[in-house]
Amino acid sequence: VIGKIRWAIGSRSRFIRSKIRRWMKTQYGLSPVPPPILFAVHLVSRIVTWSSSPLFPPTEELDLNVENLSDSDVHLALRHQVFTFWNVSVETLNWVVKHVRETKVGRVLEFGSGLSTIAWAVACRGNVGDQDAGPPYVIASVENAEFAARTRQLLVDLHLDHLAMVVHCPLVDREINGRIVKGYAWDGEGLEYLKSGWRADMLFVDGPSTGDLSRALAIIDGLQWGSDQCVVLLDDALRDDEIRSIHYLQTHKHVAFAGVILIGKGIALGGRCVQSR
């Protein structure tokens, strides 16, 4: 009997969550859902579904088909790779690469690494041309040494290792908003570019993977190596911890978010606040 009750509650929750996501996509399409609307819908969703991260999509709703990569250069580089739930979705990758192309992003500071690192490097290479900004076009900070090594090897295998640098940056206990969370130690090898004046046009945040406000802390750190017009993109933005991070960053005037775009696992689009320059 208890099992049947749990199954019924779970089925009801999944049904309501699906309806809420569908309503949001109908209302906003590819336009950012403004933070006040996002916060309100998130709060109501948690109450009526009795679940955490009620806006976060399940695996079956994500596009993980490499053949759907729309940028020809990125598709050429990644055509033999396999996307999983742990990668940035193909839909998200397409949107970000298009944004990088259209806004002429030349350098990206990424938290996390993987197939996305390849995509940003290839897209930035096409933008820079004869400009002064040379490689590395991407610096990716990763807390897991094995993941860092895997991305480095992939860059070598694709003959793109001159375009991006992957830094193993361990996590330590750090303080934010009066609480202790896991944050980057910023003492890994390869940080000489950041320390020598390398500046990012875009932060892409898909790490750390420790939850709470750890990604908010990463963004605050990353802004010190971002240009004045630095764009902030936060992946997994429909998950509870990321929604809390968006609220914290807005409230403390680190980042002004236009909202969350309903692609992939949600991507928050924002820019540096004047107060943080």
Side-chain angles (χ1 to χ4, degrees), residues 138-188:
V138 180
I139 295 179
S141 175
V142 191
E143 69 262 31
N144 186 295
E146 181 182 345
F147 289 169
R150 195 179 303 169
T151 304
R152 288 192 197 107
Q153 187 58 53
L154 180 58
L155 285 162
V156 170
D157 292 344
L158 296 173
H159 307 290
L160 299 173
D161 50 304
H162 61 295
L163 300 182
M165 174 179 293
V166 181
V167 179
H168 173 224
C169 200
L171 298 180
V172 295
D173 288 338
R174 294 180 56 190
E175 188 273 336
I176 180 174
N177 199 32
R179 60 208 293 177
I180 301 299
V181 303
K182 293 296 183 182
Y184 292 112
W186 298 116
D187 58 0

Side-chain angles (χ1 to χ4, degrees), residues 27-195:
Q27 294 295 314
Y28 291 96
L30 290 179
S31 298
V33 180
I37 301 297
L38 176 72
F39 300 150
V41 173
H42 175 246
L43 177 60
V44 171
S45 299
R46 289 204 59 169
I47 293 171
V48 300
T49 64
W50 307 335
S51 61
S52 61
S53 295
L55 303 182
F56 201 62
T59 305
E60 58 267 23
E61 291 186 12
L62 300 177
D63 182 0
L64 301 175
N65 185 355
V66 69
E67 293 305 316
N68 291 336
L69 288 169
S70 57
D71 187 274
S72 58
D73 292 336
V74 172
H75 180 269
L76 182 63
L78 297 179
R79 65 192 184 282
H80 298 308
Q81 306 305 315
V82 177
F83 281 77
T84 71
F85 180 77
W86 302 108
N87 295 119
V88 173
S89 74
V90 170
E91 186 182 19
T92 299
L93 207 66
N94 284 336
W95 188 92
V96 177
V97 167
K98 182 180 178 183
H99 178 80
V100 168
R101 298 283 199 193
E102 291 178 346
T103 58
K104 304 299 181 185
V105 169
R107 287 175 170 174
V108 177
L109 178 57
E110 180 177 30
F111 301 118
S113 76
L115 301 183
S116 58
T117 309
I118 309 298
W120 316 150
V122 170
C124 288
R125 177 180 59 181
N127 284 342
V128 172
D130 296 328
Q131 298 178 29
D132 292 336
Y137 302 130
V138 180
I139 295 179
S141 175
V142 191
E143 69 262 31
N144 186 295
E146 181 182 345
F147 289 169
R150 195 179 303 169
T151 304
R152 288 192 197 107
Q153 187 58 53
L154 180 58
L155 285 162
V156 170
D157 292 344
L158 296 173
H159 307 290
L160 299 173
D161 50 304
H162 61 295
L163 300 182
M165 174 179 293
V166 181
V167 179
H168 173 224
C169 200
L171 298 180
V172 295
D173 288 338
R174 294 180 56 190
E175 188 273 336
I176 180 174
N177 199 32
R179 60 208 293 177
I180 301 299
V181 303
K182 293 296 183 182
Y184 292 112
W186 298 116
D187 58 0
E189 288 184 27
L191 291 177
E192 65 271 12
Y193 281 99
L194 295 180
K195 296 174 181 177

Side-chain angles (χ1 to χ4, degrees), residues 190-208:
L191 291 177
E192 65 271 12
Y193 281 99
L194 295 180
K195 296 174 181 177
S196 66
W198 189 96
R199 291 293 176 265
D201 304 311
M202 185 177 89
L203 304 183
F204 185 82
V205 185
D206 194 23

Side-chain angles (χ1 to χ4, degrees), residues 212-277:
D212 204 346
L213 292 178
S214 59
R215 293 192 180 182
L217 180 59
I219 290 173
I220 294 170
D221 287 344
L223 286 172
Q224 67 182 306
W225 295 300
S227 66
D228 285 347
Q229 305 303 320
C230 184
V231 173
V232 177
L233 299 180
L234 172 63
D235 196 30
D236 302 317
L238 292 174
R239 190 162 53 191
D240 283 5
D241 286 331
E242 280 68 22
I243 290 174
R244 282 191 283 268
S245 291
I246 292 168
H247 185 272
Y248 177 84
L249 291 166
Q250 288 244 132
T251 302
H252 291 79
K253 300 190 184 304
H254 294 288
V255 179
F257 284 100
V260 172
I261 301 167
L262 302 173
I263 55 175
K265 292 172 272 188
I267 184 163
L269 171 63
R272 179 198 294 273
C273 282
V274 173
Q275 291 91 329
S276 70
R277 296 186 184 187

Side-chain angles (χ1 to χ4, degrees), residues 11-27:
S11 296
R12 171 186 176 274
S13 176
R14 287 191 295 272
F15 176 77
I16 295 175
R17 291 163 69 178
S18 176
K19 288 289 187 182
I20 291 171
R21 286 193 297 271
R22 194 172 305 160
W23 173 82
M24 291 175 70
K25 286 189 175 181
T26 300
Q27 294 295 314

